[in-house]
Amino acid sequence: MKTMKKVAAVLLAVMLMAPAAVNAAAPSATKATIAGQKAAVSTVYTGKAQLPATVTINGKTLIAGQDFVYVNAAKTDAGTYTVSIKGIGAFEGTATVTYTVNKAAAATKTTKVAAKKAYKASSLKKKAKKFSVKVAGATYTVKGKKAKKYIKVSKKGKVTVKKGIKKGTYKIVIKVKATKNTKAGKKVVKIVIK
Protein backbone atom coordinates (compact mmCIF):
# COMPACT_ATOMS: atom_id res chain seq x y z
CA MET A 1 0.00 0.00 0.00
CA LYS A 2 2.83 2.33 0.92
CA THR A 3 4.54 1.51 -2.38
CA MET A 4 1.41 2.45 -4.33
CA LYS A 5 1.22 5.81 -2.55
CA LYS A 6 4.86 6.53 -3.38
CA VAL A 7 4.31 5.70 -7.07
CA ALA A 8 1.23 7.95 -7.19
CA ALA A 9 3.14 10.80 -5.57
CA VAL A 10 5.99 10.48 -8.09
CA LEU A 11 3.55 10.43 -11.04
CA LEU A 12 1.76 13.51 -9.72
CA ALA A 13 5.05 15.37 -9.32
CA VAL A 14 6.08 14.48 -12.91
CA MET A 15 2.72 15.67 -14.28
CA LEU A 16 2.97 19.01 -12.47
CA MET A 17 6.53 19.57 -13.70
CA ALA A 18 5.76 18.83 -17.36
CA PRO A 19 3.82 22.09 -18.19
CA ALA A 20 6.50 24.17 -16.50
CA ALA A 21 9.18 22.49 -18.60
CA VAL A 22 7.17 23.15 -21.79
CA ASN A 23 6.69 26.82 -20.88
CA ALA A 24 10.35 27.19 -20.06
CA ALA A 25 11.31 25.78 -23.44
CA ALA A 26 9.03 28.17 -25.39
CA PRO A 27 11.07 31.03 -26.92
CA SER A 28 10.17 34.63 -25.92
CA ALA A 29 8.76 36.96 -28.63
CA THR A 30 11.51 38.90 -30.40
CA LYS A 31 11.08 42.62 -31.08
CA ALA A 32 11.95 44.20 -34.42
CA THR A 33 14.73 46.75 -34.09
CA ILE A 34 14.73 50.23 -35.63
CA ALA A 35 18.11 51.10 -34.12
CA GLY A 36 20.27 53.22 -36.41
CA GLN A 37 17.59 53.46 -39.12
CA LYS A 38 16.74 56.71 -40.92
CA ALA A 39 13.43 58.01 -42.28
CA ALA A 40 11.99 61.16 -43.83
CA VAL A 41 8.51 62.55 -43.17
CA SER A 42 6.71 65.79 -44.00
CA THR A 43 3.61 67.78 -43.19
CA VAL A 44 2.20 71.25 -43.98
CA TYR A 45 2.22 74.28 -41.71
CA THR A 46 -1.07 74.73 -39.84
CA GLY A 47 -0.11 77.25 -37.17
CA LYS A 48 -0.10 74.51 -34.55
CA ALA A 49 2.70 72.31 -33.20
CA GLN A 50 2.54 68.92 -34.90
CA LEU A 51 4.41 65.70 -35.63
CA PRO A 52 3.41 63.11 -38.27
CA ALA A 53 1.23 60.23 -37.06
CA THR A 54 3.22 57.63 -39.03
CA VAL A 55 6.82 56.95 -40.07
CA THR A 56 7.93 54.40 -42.68
CA ILE A 57 11.06 52.39 -41.86
CA ASN A 58 12.29 49.47 -43.97
CA GLY A 59 9.00 49.48 -45.88
CA LYS A 60 6.92 49.19 -42.69
CA THR A 61 4.55 51.92 -41.56
CA LEU A 62 5.00 52.56 -37.85
CA ILE A 63 2.25 54.32 -35.89
CA ALA A 64 3.06 56.97 -33.28
CA GLY A 65 1.96 55.90 -29.81
CA GLN A 66 1.63 52.26 -30.87
CA ASP A 67 4.98 51.39 -32.45
CA PHE A 68 7.11 54.37 -31.41
CA VAL A 69 7.21 57.62 -29.48
CA TYR A 70 8.90 60.87 -30.45
CA VAL A 71 11.87 61.81 -28.29
CA ASN A 72 11.71 65.47 -29.39
CA ALA A 73 8.97 68.08 -29.07
CA ALA A 74 6.51 68.84 -31.88
CA LYS A 75 7.39 71.63 -34.34
CA THR A 76 5.24 74.54 -35.53
CA ASP A 77 7.13 76.70 -38.05
CA ALA A 78 8.01 75.67 -41.60
CA GLY A 79 11.49 74.20 -41.92
CA THR A 80 13.46 70.95 -41.79
CA TYR A 81 14.27 69.35 -38.46
CA THR A 82 16.00 66.22 -37.19
CA VAL A 83 14.05 64.32 -34.55
CA SER A 84 14.45 60.93 -32.91
CA ILE A 85 11.91 58.17 -32.36
CA LYS A 86 12.09 55.32 -29.85
CA GLY A 87 10.51 51.96 -30.59
CA ILE A 88 7.80 50.60 -28.27
CA GLY A 89 5.46 47.61 -28.41
CA ALA A 90 6.79 45.24 -31.07
CA PHE A 91 9.73 47.55 -31.87
CA GLU A 92 12.88 48.58 -30.02
CA GLY A 93 15.83 50.89 -30.55
CA THR A 94 16.11 54.52 -31.62
CA ALA A 95 15.92 55.87 -35.18
CA THR A 96 16.60 59.29 -36.73
CA VAL A 97 13.84 61.07 -38.65
CA THR A 98 14.27 64.06 -40.98
CA TYR A 99 11.07 66.00 -40.43
CA THR A 100 9.98 68.75 -42.85
CA VAL A 101 7.15 71.22 -42.20
CA ASN A 102 6.28 72.64 -45.64
CA LYS A 103 4.94 76.16 -46.17
CA ALA A 104 1.18 76.49 -46.43
CA ALA A 105 -0.53 77.89 -49.52
CA ALA A 106 -0.90 81.67 -49.57
CA ALA A 107 -4.05 83.22 -48.15
CA THR A 108 -5.16 84.36 -51.62
CA LYS A 109 -5.79 80.73 -52.59
CA THR A 110 -8.10 80.02 -49.70
CA THR A 111 -9.76 83.39 -49.22
CA LYS A 112 -13.51 83.78 -49.60
CA VAL A 113 -13.02 86.74 -51.93
CA ALA A 114 -15.03 86.11 -55.09
CA ALA A 115 -13.05 85.77 -58.31
CA LYS A 116 -15.70 87.71 -60.22
CA LYS A 117 -18.12 90.60 -59.63
CA ALA A 118 -20.72 91.53 -62.26
CA TYR A 119 -22.80 94.69 -62.58
CA LYS A 120 -25.12 96.19 -65.19
CA ALA A 121 -23.79 99.40 -66.69
CA SER A 122 -27.26 100.93 -66.24
CA SER A 123 -27.00 100.50 -62.45
CA LEU A 124 -23.75 102.49 -62.43
CA LYS A 125 -24.92 105.49 -64.46
CA LYS A 126 -25.74 107.60 -61.41
CA LYS A 127 -24.36 105.68 -58.44
CA ALA A 128 -21.04 103.98 -57.59
CA LYS A 129 -20.79 100.42 -56.26
CA LYS A 130 -18.55 99.23 -53.41
CA PHE A 131 -17.31 95.84 -52.23
CA SER A 132 -14.32 94.34 -50.42
CA VAL A 133 -11.45 92.12 -51.55
CA LYS A 134 -9.59 92.28 -48.23
CA VAL A 135 -6.82 89.71 -47.75
CA ALA A 136 -4.40 89.91 -44.82
CA GLY A 137 -0.98 91.25 -45.84
CA ALA A 138 -1.97 91.80 -49.49
CA THR A 139 -1.30 94.54 -51.99
CA TYR A 140 -3.87 95.50 -54.65
CA THR A 141 -3.33 96.69 -58.22
CA VAL A 142 -5.93 97.81 -60.77
CA LYS A 143 -4.74 96.70 -64.22
CA GLY A 144 -4.89 99.11 -67.18
CA LYS A 145 -5.36 102.86 -67.62
CA LYS A 146 -9.03 102.53 -68.50
CA ALA A 147 -9.69 100.49 -65.37
CA LYS A 148 -7.78 102.89 -63.10
CA LYS A 149 -10.05 105.70 -64.28
CA TYR A 150 -13.15 103.98 -62.92
CA ILE A 151 -11.93 101.56 -60.25
CA LYS A 152 -10.16 102.39 -56.99
CA VAL A 153 -8.88 100.00 -54.31
CA SER A 154 -7.82 101.20 -50.87
CA LYS A 155 -4.91 99.70 -48.91
CA LYS A 156 -7.50 97.83 -46.86
CA GLY A 157 -9.00 96.16 -49.93
CA LYS A 158 -12.13 98.28 -50.28
CA VAL A 159 -13.11 98.57 -53.95
CA THR A 160 -15.08 101.46 -55.46
CA VAL A 161 -16.53 101.06 -58.95
CA LYS A 162 -17.25 104.62 -60.02
CA LYS A 163 -20.41 105.74 -61.76
CA GLY A 164 -20.28 106.08 -65.53
CA ILE A 165 -17.99 103.07 -66.03
CA LYS A 166 -18.15 101.60 -69.53
CA LYS A 167 -19.06 98.02 -70.43
CA GLY A 168 -16.16 95.58 -70.35
CA THR A 169 -14.03 93.40 -68.07
CA TYR A 170 -11.69 95.01 -65.54
CA LYS A 171 -9.11 93.34 -63.33
CA ILE A 172 -7.77 93.77 -59.81
CA VAL A 173 -4.63 91.78 -58.93
CA ILE A 174 -4.20 90.73 -55.32
CA LYS A 175 -0.67 89.74 -54.28
CA VAL A 176 0.61 88.29 -51.02
CA LYS A 177 4.33 88.05 -50.31
CA ALA A 178 5.85 84.81 -49.05
CA THR A 179 6.40 84.58 -45.30
CA LYS A 180 8.33 82.17 -43.13
CA ASN A 181 5.35 79.81 -43.08
CA THR A 182 3.33 80.57 -46.22
CA LYS A 183 4.04 80.71 -49.95
CA ALA A 184 3.67 83.81 -52.10
CA GLY A 185 0.26 84.05 -53.72
CA LYS A 186 -1.65 85.86 -56.43
CA LYS A 187 -5.34 86.14 -57.24
CA VAL A 188 -7.11 88.05 -60.04
CA VAL A 189 -10.58 89.46 -59.38
CA LYS A 190 -12.57 90.31 -62.50
CA ILE A 191 -15.18 93.06 -62.54
CA VAL A 192 -17.58 92.52 -65.43
CA ILE A 193 -19.74 95.41 -66.53
CA LYS A 194 -22.56 94.30 -68.84
Side-chain angles (χ1 to χ4, degrees):
M1 188 72 178
K2 287 182 179 180
T3 306
M4 291 292 292
K5 285 183 178 180
K6 284 183 180 180
V7 171
V10 171
L11 286 171
L12 182 62
V14 170
M15 289 172 66
L16 291 172
M17 288 174 62
V22 171
N23 289 335
S28 58
T30 21
K31 293 186 176 184
T33 182
I34 60 170
Q37 297 297 315
K38 293 183 178 181
V41 293
S42 64
T43 187
V44 177
Y45 172 79
T46 62
K48 296 180 180 179
Q50 56 177 327
L51 283 167
T54 62
V55 170
T56 302
I57 293 180
N58 291 333
K60 292 183 179 179
T61 301
L62 279 61
I63 302 170
Q66 176 182 303
D67 302 316
F68 71 91
V69 291
Y70 283 99
V71 177
N72 309 87
K75 309 299 178 182
T76 301
D77 291 332
T80 299
Y81 310 91
T82 299
V83 297
S84 296
I85 61 171
K86 184 178 180 181
I88 59 171
F91 298 88
E92 61 182 2
T94 304
T96 303
V97 177
T98 301
Y99 170 45
T100 303
V101 179
N102 294 307
K103 288 186 176 185
T108 52
K109 293 182 180 179
T110 56
T111 182
K112 292 181 180 178
V113 171
K116 180 180 176 182
K117 293 287 285 187
Y119 298 103
K120 288 185 177 181
S122 57
S123 68
L124 286 153
K125 281 186 177 180
K126 295 181 179 180
K127 189 177 180 181
K129 298 284 184 179
K130 294 183 179 183
F131 65 95
S132 177
V133 291
K134 185 177 181 180
V135 175
T139 57
Y140 312 93
T141 306
V142 178
K143 300 297 287 182
K145 290 182 179 180
K146 182 182 175 183
K148 287 177 181 177
K149 182 180 178 182
Y150 293 105
I151 298 169
K152 298 292 180 186
V153 186
S154 72
K155 289 181 180 179
K156 292 184 178 181
K158 290 183 179 179
V159 181
T160 301
V161 182
K162 296 181 179 180
K163 62 183 181 180
I165 190 171
K166 307 299 180 184
K167 291 182 180 181
T169 299
Y170 304 84
K171 295 177 182 178
I172 297 171
V173 179
I174 304 171
K175 288 184 179 180
V176 177
K177 289 182 180 179
T179 68
K180 180 180 180 179
N181 294 310
T182 59
K183 298 175 184 177
K186 177 183 174 181
K187 182 169 186 174
V188 177
V189 176
K190 292 181 179 180
I191 300 172
V192 181
I193 309 299
K194 297 178 181 179

